[in-house]
Amino acid sequence: MTVRTQVVVIGGGQAGLAAGYHLRRLGIDFVILDAQTEPGGAWQHTWDSLHLFSPAAYSSLPGWFMPPQAGEEYPDADHVVTYLRDYEKRYELPVERPVRVQGVHRDGELLRVETDSGTWRAGAVISATGTWWRPFLPAVPGRGDFDGRQLHTVEYRNPQDFAGRRVIVIGGGNSGAQIAADLAYDTELTWVTQRPPRYLADDVDGRALFDAATARRRVLDEGRTDTGGVASLGDIVAVPPVRAARDRGLLKATPMFTRLVPGGVEWADGTRAEADAIIWCTGFRPALSHFVPLQLRGRRGHIATDGTRAVDEPRLHLLGYGDWTGPASATLIGVGRPAREAAREISALLAGTT
Ligand code: FAD
């Protein structure tokens, strides 16, 4: 089967849906191809206690505010999944599931999108595949020697799985702090971070982060000196469970160890900690392997972009992967603006006016 359309959007999480919203408004013919069997992108797979770090109204995609969740100032992941499902229906976005894109190829005037369920040919492609699907594990000596359980953030669900166990959580970002807080009450926890944890002020939540990202964008647009945006504020949003565990003295960070050993980990001075499980909360990389045929890979697995447009392939836009594809573009509220810009640029490209 080969289908011809104007634009293929790869990925049907929040970024793909925001792109769909703007493409529809511009009257462009498109399809969204999503590898999941159900709507909701990565939000379907997060740990049980995860809540957003912003209130609902500050977690909205273009066009329609996220409804508040009864009894919760900060909605949980299930609420986000419901919102994304309803958003798709509301705007009648043409999502095909499950369809996994295997490769994007140049094909004369068009791009050819090969999938496990057929081929699409399009004048432009927007990639919105997120990062959840490419967990990052640092190269630490002895990883194969440890004989307990090792898992990444993406596999962690709840503390019941580890009750009474000795658990080492690695990572001083939001995932590390939240998972450590989740485990602090029922396990023998060691929390390991590369540098001392940097908490944002307790009254700073996702709203302030979004404001900082917006301010940074303005500064960059006006050619003024970069403020450093969100990263300058700290690493960890002190969401209520993190604050509670920290204030009870349960979140004490230990510096990074040097290697793993059969029963645990070891620091440079020979000190050891025993562990039944090690949870690597060490981040993600963009899921871009479908672009291997285009040979666009640049530094750190990124593709060079100007806004959302790939510098070396103007028919390709990248959306939602992080600040390098638009300030705050990896958040619900932040992806709307780069999605609009990508759709406008593609509209001009298809009309031959660029
Ligand atoms: P995803 O949700 O990952 O969606 C991508 C979709 O593309 C998926 O359905 C995937 O299956 C599909 N896909 C991937 N590869 C292919 C392929 N080859 N072919 C077809 N389909 C493919 N943001 C906030 O705004 N507020 C928060 O509170 C917040 N908390 C977060 C907490 C955690 C732990 C994490 C990791 C992120 C958080 N974020 C938050 C950031 C961000 O909103 C989420 O990561 C969000 O899921 C990103 O959406 P996305 O659409 O870019 O990617």
Side-chain angles (χ1 to χ4, degrees), residues 316-329:
L316 170 64
H317 286 255
L318 298 155
L319 193 59
Y321 296 99
D323 283 356
W324 62 284
T325 54
S329 70

Side-chain angles (χ1 to χ4, degrees), residues 230-261:
V230 170
S232 62
L233 298 176
D235 298 324
I236 301 168
V237 183
V239 292
V242 168
R243 207 180 308 159
R246 182 199 63 192
D247 292 351
R248 291 172 79 168
L250 299 174
L251 280 189
K252 294 213 172 65
T254 307
M256 186 62 187
F257 50 82
T258 45
R259 65 183 184 117
L260 283 82
V261 292

Side-chain angles (χ1 to χ4, degrees), residues 10-16 33-36 40-43 47 50-54 99-101 128-133 175 284 287 290 319-320 330-333:
I10 308 173
Q14 65 200 37
L33 306 178
D34 187 36
Q36 300 295 293
W43 295 106
W47 60 92
L50 179 76
H51 282 65
L52 291 178
F53 51 64
S54 312
V99 179
R100 177 168 295 282
V101 173
T129 49
T131 58
W132 185 260
W133 326 96
S175 307
F284 306 87
H290 46 290
L319 193 59
T331 63
L332 284 151
I333 194 172

Side-chain angles (χ1 to χ4, degrees), residues 114-163:
E114 301 282 2
T115 81
D116 57 4
S117 322
T119 301
W120 274 260
R121 296 171 82 237
V125 164
I126 297 178
S127 187
T129 49
T131 58
W132 185 260
W133 326 96
R134 258 194 84 202
F136 173 72
L137 290 175
V140 179
R143 222 171 54 211
D145 297 339
F146 178 67
D147 45 11
R149 184 170 171 208
Q150 288 190 66
L151 58 160
H152 185 270
T153 308
V154 297
E155 294 156 284
Y156 174 75
R157 288 295 165 272
N158 57 54
Q160 289 80 50
D161 288 345
F162 302 91

